[in-house]
């Protein structure tokens, strides 16, 4: 399961980086037994939804969304 978890986390990161949002590379991705946890700051609700969708697209069975909004001034 460790190798599968590492491969899943890597694929989630890849899917996120393929997207149109800058700064999502800062998202921390952890995978355990098909469950992916996303942590970090995102620029808004659309980017947050994209990251969650990317995790499912990568093969996650469940996504725990601990993302917060990043506000720029």
């Amino acid at each position: 399961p460790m190798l599968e978890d590492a491969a899943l986390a890597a694929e989630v990161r890849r899917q996120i980086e393929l997207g149109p949002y800058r700064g999502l590379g800062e998202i921390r991705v952890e995978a355990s037994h098909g469950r992916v946890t996303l942590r970090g700051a995102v620029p808004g609700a659309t980017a947050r939804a994209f990251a969650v969708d990317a995790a499912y697209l990568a093969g996650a069975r469940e996504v725990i969304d601990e993302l917060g909004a990043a506000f720029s001034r």
Side-chain angles (χ1 to χ4, degrees):
M2 279 297 264
L3 181 57
E4 292 172 9
D5 291 341
L8 176 57
E11 181 61 16
V12 170
R13 283 187 205 95
R14 190 179 81 76
Q15 290 292 333
I16 288 171
E17 289 169 6
L18 288 174
Y21 299 97
R22 293 180 183 268
L24 293 190
E26 301 298 317
I27 292 176
R28 292 184 306 284
V29 178
E30 297 172 14
S32 179
H33 304 286
R35 175 186 292 163
V36 170
T37 302
L38 302 174
R39 293 187 176 98
V42 293
T46 305
R48 182 182 199 158
F50 170 81
V52 171
D53 288 347
Y56 281 116
L57 185 63
R61 287 188 291 120
E62 180 181 355
V63 178
I64 299 168
D65 175 3
E66 295 185 357
L67 298 169
F71 298 100
S72 59
R73 294 178 179 244

